[in-house]
Amino acid sequence: MIVCTDGGQDTVQPGEPRGGCKKRLSLYAEHKAYQAATADPKSPNYIKKISAGPMVNDEDTMMRGSAFVVQVSSREEAETFYKNDPFYVNKVWESVICNRYTVVGGTLPSL
């Protein structure tokens, strides 16, 4: 599991469908393109994502960060994935926590 928290919350501005910090919004298209490329099984940068999306405020109007549940064979693979994201490269994410995640209730979907 990778949990990324945005910095720059003092520069939050509206956006569609959600707002966020100015730097996040300026790099959003680049981030989405990277995420799409890493979701393609034919890509050398492919990573199996169980779940991925923005963390938002209680009103669901502002993005505050990103979260990913990925299936990887090593921590290095997970770190390579997030460290190549434009949000990491351009310091949108103020902090990143990368931890192993174990399912104790329910099941992971087969993708």
Side-chain angles (χ1 to χ4, degrees):
M1 175 174 274
I2 304 164
V3 177
C4 314
T5 304
D6 292 359
Q9 293 303 313
D10 56 329
T11 64
V12 169
Q13 59 189 39
E16 288 297 326
R18 293 177 190 90
C21 75
K22 186 184 276 188
K23 191 182 279 189
R24 170 183 271 270
L25 296 178
S26 72
L27 293 162
Y28 197 63
E30 194 176 333
H31 163 76
K32 295 292 282 183
Y34 174 76
Q35 289 300 316
T38 60
D40 179 358
K42 296 176 189 153
S43 168
N45 298 321
Y46 172 71
I47 189 162
K48 187 173 185 177
K49 297 174 201 161
I50 307 303
S51 180
M55 297 187 304
V56 298
N57 65 352
D58 290 343
E59 295 78 29
D60 193 27
T61 58
M62 294 289 168
M63 295 177 282
R64 304 288 188 185
S66 306
F68 307 91
V69 178
V70 296
Q71 187 173 343
V72 295
S73 57
S74 68
R75 178 180 190 83
E76 291 74 27
E77 189 178 349
E79 289 176 346
T80 297
F81 163 69
Y82 78 74
K83 287 181 178 180
N84 284 306
D85 189 294
F87 284 173
Y88 181 86
V89 172
N90 293 286
K91 299 180 178 21
V92 171
W93 294 328
E94 185 173 73
S95 68
V96 177
I97 298 170
C98 181
N99 284 315
R100 188 172 181 87
Y101 176 78
T102 301
V103 176
V104 295
T107 58
L108 287 176
S110 38
L111 302 172

